[in-house]
Amino acid sequence: MRNSPVAIVTGGGTGIGAATASALITAGWNVVICGRRLEPLKKVAEETGAFPVVADTSSENDINQLVETTVERFGALDGLVLNAGIVRVGQVGVLSNTDWEDMVRTNLTGPFQLLRVAIPHLIAARGAIVGVGSAAALRATGEIPGYNATKAGLCMLMQSVAIDYGPQGVRANTVCPGWVRTEMADMELGEYGATLGLNREQAYTRATSFVPTRRPANASEVADVIAWLLSGKASYVNAAVIPVDGGMIAGDPGSIALDPRISVGNI
């Protein structure tokens, strides 16, 4: 009998993926992390004990090799975290076909192709899947229609997998983070803040000024939810879409101007 369950975490070299690898290893999992760049993967591997594999999840050959390597090394696949994602900015009228196709390929087609290869192993293990969506999948965010659409598609893909494979013991859920302190968010808010004469910390404060918790998440706070969803403690949670956003999307935008705790002039 195997002592430890085995998980693959895509986009495991930074941000939520790296934090998820750490959380799972702490919980006793064997973890394979993948990404396009070796150096971030090596750093996370050294810090956590995860096994790094350079793989582009938009490549069918890389996906096949990733799953094959995982099963050969650890003997099974019990969990899958679909975390790899990209964002390209631009309204529909200006977003290029290339940027649209890059987001579809990375955020939606890649997860689909990886699932197709991994599903037989997950059925055998009665395993679990977590897709990392976004609050932008649940509420449209301006200037990123491709990201909104592909992350919404990922949510529905997870629910479809839950419906189709739940009878065979496979669970599939999605977490939808709001603002999280990651490398990608730091870059986005640094650029956003610069246009307003704000530094990055001021930009984070402004971006989360209407969030009930009044702050962004740390990557570990999202990772802990993912680890729970993969665990037996969430054995009856299936097809769920869980916001991990500090309450952001629960608020009524029309009431913000009436909330005396918020300085509207600073939003």
Side-chain angles (χ1 to χ4, degrees), residues 4 9 50 56 58 76 84 87 111 133 137 179 181-182 245:
S4 300
V9 178
D56 182 346
S58 67
V87 60
W179 283 111
R181 286 187 178 274
T182 64
D245 64 353

Side-chain angles (χ1 to χ4, degrees), residues 7 17 39 60 72 94 105 113 123 125 137 146 153 157 166 176-177 180 184 209 219 242 247 267:
E39 287 308 312
E60 286 192 70
E72 284 182 355
V94 298
R105 184 169 56 252
Q113 292 177 334
I123 290 172
L157 177 60
C176 289
V180 183
M184 186 167 73
S209 60
I242 302 176
I267 297 176

Side-chain angles (χ1 to χ4, degrees), residues 1 7 52 101 139 169 217 245:
M1 176 178 287
E101 289 163 2
R139 300 288 188 274
D245 64 353

Side-chain angles (χ1 to χ4, degrees), residues 44-221:
V44 173
E46 290 168 0
E47 292 173 350
T48 66
F51 183 74
V53 175
V54 175
D56 182 346
T57 54
S58 67
S59 163
E60 286 192 70
N61 287 337
D62 283 10
I63 285 170
N64 289 332
Q65 188 62 45
L66 171 65
V67 174
E68 182 179 332
T69 297
T70 300
V71 174
E72 284 182 355
R73 184 175 181 85
F74 295 107
L77 178 61
D78 303 90
L80 179 60
V81 181
L82 301 168
N83 172 67
I86 61 171
V87 60
R88 300 286 184 265
V89 177
Q91 296 176 353
V92 167
V94 298
L95 187 68
S96 70
N97 284 345
T98 298
D99 284 344
W100 171 267
E101 289 163 2
D102 283 349
M103 284 184 281
V104 171
R105 184 169 56 252
T106 301
N107 299 352
L108 193 53
T109 303
F112 160 72
Q113 292 177 334
L114 180 50
L115 281 165
R116 189 167 55 189
V117 177
I119 278 293
H121 301 287
L122 292 166
I123 290 172
R126 299 182 70 84
I129 306 154
V130 179
V132 180
S134 170
L138 307 176
R139 300 288 188 274
T141 300
E143 305 285 337
I144 53 169
Y147 188 74
N148 295 339
T150 52
K151 287 299 187 178
L154 180 65
C155 291
M156 185 52 67
L157 177 60
M158 292 297 95
Q159 291 187 321
S160 297
V161 169
I163 296 298
D164 288 340
Y165 295 99
Q168 293 163 277
V170 176
R171 295 183 298 108
N173 297 288
T174 311
V175 295
C176 289
W179 283 111
V180 183
R181 286 187 178 274
T182 64
E183 291 85 345
M184 186 167 73
D186 283 352
M187 181 180 67
E188 289 180 49
L189 283 174
E191 293 173 355
Y192 164 72
T195 66
L196 299 173
L198 305 174
N199 63 36
R200 190 171 64 200
E201 289 306 308
Q202 290 170 325
Y204 268 114
T205 297
R206 179 161 175 160
T208 59
S209 60
F210 62 93
V211 177
T213 54
R214 301 294 194 268
R215 64 172 179 85
N218 295 313
S220 62
E221 293 176 298

